[in-house]
Amino acid sequence: MAEPRRTRIQDVAEQAGVSMMTVSRVLNQDKKVSNKTRQKVMAVVEKLNYRPNVSARRLASSKSFFIGLLYDNPSDSYISQFLLAALKKCRALGYHLVVDEAHLDINKTIESVKQLIDVTQVDGMILLPPMCDNEDVLEVLTKANVPFVRITPDTKLNSSPYICMDDYQAAFDVTERLINQGHKKIAHIIGNNKQGVSRLRYQGYLDALRSNKITTPPEYIEQGSFTYQSGMEAAVKLLALDDKPTAIFAANDDMAAAVISIAQQQGINIPGDLSVVGFDDTQLARSVWPHISTVKQPINEMAELSVSLLASGQYDNMSNLKSLELRHILDFELIERESSSIK
Amino acid sequence: MAEPRRTRIQDVAEQAGVSMMTVSRVLNQDKKVSNKTRQKVMAVVEKLNYRPNVSARRLASSKSFFIGLLYDNPSDSYISQFLLAALKKCRALGYHLVVDEAHLDINKTIESVKQLIDVTQVDGMILLPPMCDNEDVLEVLTKANVPFVRITPDTKLNSSPYICMDDYQAAFDVTERLINQGHKKIAHIIGNNKQGVSRLRYQGYLDALRSNKITTPPEYIEQGSFTYQSGMEAAVKLLALDDKPTAIFAANDDMAAAVISIAQQQGINIPGDLSVVGFDDTQLARSVWPHISTVKQPINEMAELSVSLLASGQYDNMSNLKSLELRHILDFELIERESSSIK
DNA sequence: CTGAAAGCGCTTACAG
DNA sequence: CTGAAAGCGCTTACAG
């Protein structure tokens, strides 16, 4: 096969009647190019469908065009979805994703991060919960001057960009919907108390009850940890109460699935006797029966945005950031399925 | 920070007292290097912990050091596990993984594959079921002379390497274990009839019954499709029989989970009244209660091996392969959990 | 079996 | 605002 040679920067330069350098500048968003030249070059780029050779670029520049992703054993569904979305976005922008799992031993995780910085030389890092809130990890990155984006609602670090959804409002809305459907006895299983989202979801639940003037006995609140197991334990307690709740709002889908399982074992009809709602909209929500009503996190959008932000280079100089630019909130969506219904 | 410059091939060459070319040859497994020289070079490589610069390598050679992975909406658990294992192996070998999801429309999938070949210029492809058995996809790859590894037990293509486990034997063993535990009424839910594994697992089940002289009514065999939904439908039928089975072997975990859910809704105790076993050992097997007894597929090993095979270059010249080298069987493992017990 | 030269396709640093 | 030169760290192709 006579393979058609890929177009190079030189081809573009020749057809546009400029030097390779000018083309390079246009492609790298260098401001010091006249608008006229820029348009001329872009036209040829489009015409020839020119894509820079990433390897050459990487070799010549100091940039690695690698973005690191550090995650810590969240649900397979969540990580898989996030990963695929991030991979696609990276590819579109000429970057590559380097994935690493955090270790139980925090020191090993720090080692991994240092390796990503020194050996792989990542241009930026994406931090998923709960690593996104680990001070030690953040310090290592900050010291090495490696930009990072955190997926977290936690605002404790004012100096770094983060992506989140309005967990509080989502929890409020979900709870209020249950109320509007006639439920008054609504229990809540709180998520892992080390993650900021747990607090926010709990608060949204509480405020929705309050603003609808519903009082709830303290036994309706159970502390979970986002695991299926913790959901089972909470469900056993909640369903053993004399005055059983008619609805249970769990802080994630895994715990909601556990509630459904326990209820079914006890012969409790869902949603007839008990409505169950979760949070996240992972695949698990559609892998049990009845399917779980839940809140859809914009996981794909979060993944894409985190890559885009790092690739844009706007956070490369981490010292001069206005706090206004740091927060990126994405929309959520309530998903009604068969696990909840009108009382 | 005074960043210590990375060691280059020249540093190695100097310390070993040879030319850069010789180092390059050693690193690329070129046979034409004397053993003595090779050892001398390797010693220095180890000492300096030298890692070749992938970009330079890619730029200078015609190889892309990209491996493509085509998958078609299998379970999130499965793809996520496979993906992470493949990513790690790629990184270790200096490769990068380019992931693509197959479209419902086969023509679009073919387009994707062509893009991977022409634009990304992958050095090889990994094909997961069921794309691994699609003649059109295989033809495109073969014509473009792009080596590929299929994850499939299907032997219909004698000219390409594939990785598999002994699905037949695993199904046989799982069934026989149920028999040894005292079960005589064992039902089976067959997997998607378009995937070769379904047939093999079904056959293993049948032969285990036969070799133990157990006859089974035809109503004990239900056709599923690997989805949770299909498992529910099969379970409803099986549990409505006058002469109910005491054990159900589902061809994957998703269908087994569905069986458990339906049984629990009907007040059937698991494993007291009914033992349930699945296949794959995906996360779902541990995400429902009781945890599902199952067969552990060596997913990580399959992922690693597929990358290694492609990186080794042994299949680059696809025309001269002995059929003996093509098959790579990995071990499985029976996992006993709470969903099954002695009758 | 080993090596000196040229080049892969970009960008950096220096000019103007 | 634009360009000519040198070089990033490897490998290919040619010698011997």
Side-chain angles (χ1 to χ4, degrees):
Chain A
M1 272 183 301
E3 301 214 12
R5 215 199 45 237
R6 271 185 75 162
T7 16
R8 296 158 308 164
I9 199 170
Q10 209 172 58
D11 305 324
V12 178
E14 279 167 11
Q15 287 210 30
V18 296
S19 72
M20 280 164 52
M21 262 324 295
T22 301
V23 178
S24 175
R25 287 201 181 90
V26 170
L27 259 27
N28 291 296
Q29 328 279 2
D30 195 316
K31 303 292 177 195
K32 298 175 221 157
V33 184
S34 75
N35 246 319
K36 198 174 155 190
T37 313
R38 179 185 308 280
Q39 280 167 20
K40 197 167 57 182
V41 170
M42 282 313 291
V44 179
V45 166
E46 302 265 325
K47 181 182 153 205
L48 266 47
N49 191 29
Y50 168 70
R51 304 273 162 231
N53 180 314
V54 183
S55 298
R57 212 172 178 176
R58 194 176 293 161
L59 185 57
S61 71
S62 55
K63 291 184 74 174
S64 72
F65 291 91
F66 279 121
I67 287 176
L69 172 64
L70 188 66
Y71 73 95
D72 181 23
N73 192 34
S75 89
D76 278 355
S77 291
Y78 178 87
I79 187 65
S80 140
Q81 201 179 330
F82 193 97
L83 203 56
L84 289 171
L87 279 167
K88 275 191 188 160
K89 194 66 180 182
C90 276
R91 183 138 66 107
L93 297 177
Y95 277 73
H96 279 290
L97 199 66
V98 181
V99 184
D100 228 324
E101 187 172 7
H103 300 264
L104 276 179
D105 179 358
I106 183 68
N107 290 317
K108 281 197 181 171
T109 303
I110 304 249
E111 253 334 289
S112 291
V113 174
K114 283 184 177 164
Q115 277 238 341
L116 283 174
I117 296 171
D118 293 340
V119 182
T120 313
Q121 308 194 31
V122 292
D123 291 336
M125 287 282 295
I126 300 171
L127 303 176
L128 262 35
M131 297 318 302
C132 54
D133 298 325
N134 184 290
E135 311 264 7
D136 295 330
V137 171
L138 299 183
E139 193 188 325
V140 170
L141 291 167
T142 308
K143 274 196 179 159
N145 209 29
V146 172
F148 53 87
V149 168
R150 301 181 305 137
I151 311 296
T152 175
D154 206 318
T155 59
K156 76 178 163 196
L157 253 194
N158 282 316
S159 55
S160 75
Y162 60 97
I163 299 173
C164 60
M165 56 168 278
D166 194 338
D167 287 274
Y168 169 83
Q169 192 63 47
F172 188 100
D173 290 357
V174 141
T175 308
E176 190 151 71
R177 176 170 295 190
L178 286 171
I179 295 170
N180 290 339
Q181 287 172 341
H183 292 277
K184 290 200 171 60
K185 303 178 182 177
I186 305 172
H188 180 58
I189 306 177
I190 307 176
N192 187 321
N193 61 15
K194 282 177 187 151
Q195 290 189 226
V197 292
S198 304
R199 204 177 53 248
L200 291 171
R201 292 176 193 173
Y202 177 38
Q203 196 60 49
Y205 156 81
L206 284 181
D207 288 359
L209 291 178
R210 241 166 244 161
S211 81
N212 283 277
K213 309 220 185 325
I214 294 178
T215 54
T216 297
E219 302 87 56
Y220 276 18
I221 315 289
E222 281 291 336
Q223 177 70 52
S225 64
F226 283 145
T227 66
Y228 190 88
Q229 182 69 33
S230 73
M232 294 207 324
E233 289 161 10
V236 167
K237 289 189 200 162
L238 291 173
L239 297 178
L241 293 174
D242 287 336
D243 191 20
K244 286 189 183 53
T246 63
I248 297 180
F249 163 36
N252 79 346
D253 292 338
D254 293 70
M255 299 194 295
V259 171
I260 288 178
S261 173
I262 293 290
Q264 286 175 341
Q265 287 176 50
Q266 300 189 2
I268 295 172
N269 182 277
I270 294 175
D273 302 328
L274 179 71
S275 285
V276 178
V277 302
F279 205 107
D280 282 352
D281 196 30
T282 55
Q283 181 174 277
L284 187 59
R286 279 154 288 139
S287 292
V288 299
W289 185 259
H291 296 334
I292 303 176
S293 296
T294 189
V295 175
K296 181 188 175 127
Q297 278 217 58
I299 302 182
N300 290 342
E301 291 80 355
M302 287 176 159
E304 287 164 14
L305 183 57
S306 55
V307 172
S308 299
L309 290 177
L310 289 171
S312 76
Q314 59 185 288
Y315 297 117
D316 282 2
N317 196 338
M318 300 182 70
S319 43
N320 59 352
L321 295 170
K322 298 173 195 163
S323 57
L324 285 180
E325 303 165 329
L326 298 174
R327 189 192 203 192
H328 299 273
I329 286 210
L330 297 178
D331 289 339
F332 60 86
E333 190 185 338
L334 299 194
I335 310 273
E336 195 106 35
R337 297 210 180 88
E338 293 83 356
S339 73
S340 65
S341 74
I342 293 174
K343 182 67 194 166
Chain B
M1 271 184 301
E3 300 214 10
R5 215 198 46 237
R6 272 186 72 163
T7 7
R8 297 158 308 165
I9 198 169
Q10 207 171 59
D11 305 324
V12 178
E14 279 167 12
Q15 287 210 29
V18 295
S19 72
M20 281 165 49
M21 262 325 293
T22 301
V23 179
S24 174
R25 286 200 182 91
V26 170
L27 260 27
N28 290 295
Q29 328 279 1
D30 194 316
K31 304 292 177 196
K32 296 174 221 158
V33 183
S34 75
N35 245 319
K36 197 174 155 192
T37 312
R38 179 184 309 280
Q39 280 165 20
K40 196 169 57 182
V41 170
M42 283 313 290
V44 179
V45 166
E46 303 264 326
K47 180 183 154 208
L48 268 45
N49 191 27
Y50 169 69
R51 303 275 162 231
N53 180 314
V54 183
S55 298
R57 212 173 178 175
R58 193 176 293 162
L59 184 58
S61 70
S62 56
K63 292 182 75 174
S64 74
F65 292 91
F66 279 120
I67 288 177
L69 172 64
L70 188 65
Y71 75 94
D72 182 20
N73 191 32
S75 89
D76 278 354
S77 291
Y78 178 87
I79 186 66
S80 142
Q81 202 178 330
F82 193 98
L83 202 58
L84 289 171
L87 279 167
K88 273 188 190 161
K89 194 68 181 180
C90 276
R91 182 138 67 110
L93 298 177
Y95 277 73
H96 279 289
L97 198 65
V98 182
V99 183
D100 228 324
E101 186 171 9
H103 300 261
L104 276 178
D105 178 357
I106 184 67
N107 289 318
K108 280 196 180 171
T109 303
I110 305 252
E111 250 340 285
S112 291
V113 173
K114 283 184 177 165
Q115 277 237 341
L116 283 174
I117 296 171
D118 293 339
V119 182
T120 312
Q121 308 194 29
V122 291
D123 291 336
M125 286 283 296
I126 301 172
L127 302 175
L128 295 176
M131 295 319 301
C132 54
D133 298 326
N134 184 292
E135 310 264 9
D136 294 329
V137 171
L138 299 181
E139 194 187 326
V140 170
L141 291 166
T142 307
K143 275 196 179 162
N145 208 30
V146 172
F148 53 89
V149 169
R150 299 180 306 138
I151 311 296
T152 175
D154 205 319
T155 60
K156 76 179 164 194
L157 251 196
N158 282 314
S159 55
S160 75
Y162 59 98
I163 298 173
C164 59
M165 56 166 281
D166 195 337
D167 287 274
Y168 169 85
Q169 192 62 49
F172 187 100
D173 290 357
V174 142
T175 309
E176 191 152 69
R177 176 170 294 190
L178 286 170
I179 294 170
N180 290 339
Q181 289 172 340
H183 292 277
K184 289 199 170 63
K185 302 177 182 177
I186 305 172
H188 180 58
I189 305 176
I190 307 175
N192 187 322
N193 61 15
K194 283 178 187 151
Q195 290 188 225
V197 293
S198 305
R199 202 177 55 248
L200 291 170
R201 293 174 193 174
Y202 177 39
Q203 196 61 50
Y205 156 81
L206 284 180
D207 288 0
L209 292 178
R210 239 166 244 161
S211 82
N212 283 277
K213 310 220 187 323
I214 294 178
T215 53
T216 297
E219 303 86 55
Y220 276 18
I221 317 289
E222 281 292 335
Q223 177 71 52
S225 63
F226 282 145
T227 65
Y228 190 89
Q229 181 68 32
S230 73
M232 294 208 323
E233 288 161 11
V236 166
K237 288 189 200 162
L238 291 172
L239 297 178
L241 293 174
D242 289 336
D243 192 20
K244 286 189 183 54
T246 64
I248 297 180
F249 164 34
N252 79 346
D253 292 337
D254 293 71
M255 297 194 296
V259 171
I260 289 178
S261 173
I262 293 288
Q264 287 175 340
Q265 287 176 48
Q266 299 189 2
I268 296 173
N269 181 277
I270 294 176
D273 302 328
L274 179 71
S275 285
V276 177
V277 301
F279 205 108
D280 283 352
D281 194 30
T282 54
Q283 180 175 280
L284 187 59
R286 282 154 285 139
S287 293
V288 298
W289 186 259
H291 295 334
I292 303 175
S293 297
T294 189
V295 174
K296 181 188 174 125
Q297 277 219 57
I299 301 181
N300 290 342
E301 292 80 355
M302 288 175 158
E304 286 163 15
L305 182 57
S306 54
V307 172
S308 300
L309 290 176
L310 289 172
S312 77
Q314 60 185 287
Y315 297 118
D316 282 2
N317 196 339
M318 299 183 72
S319 44
N320 59 354
L321 296 170
K322 298 172 193 163
S323 57
L324 286 180
E325 304 164 329
L326 297 175
R327 190 191 203 193
H328 301 273
I329 287 210
L330 297 178
D331 290 339
F332 59 87
E333 190 186 338
L334 299 194
I335 309 273
E336 196 105 35
R337 297 210 180 89
E338 294 84 355
S339 73
S340 65
S341 74
I342 293 174
K343 184 65 194 166

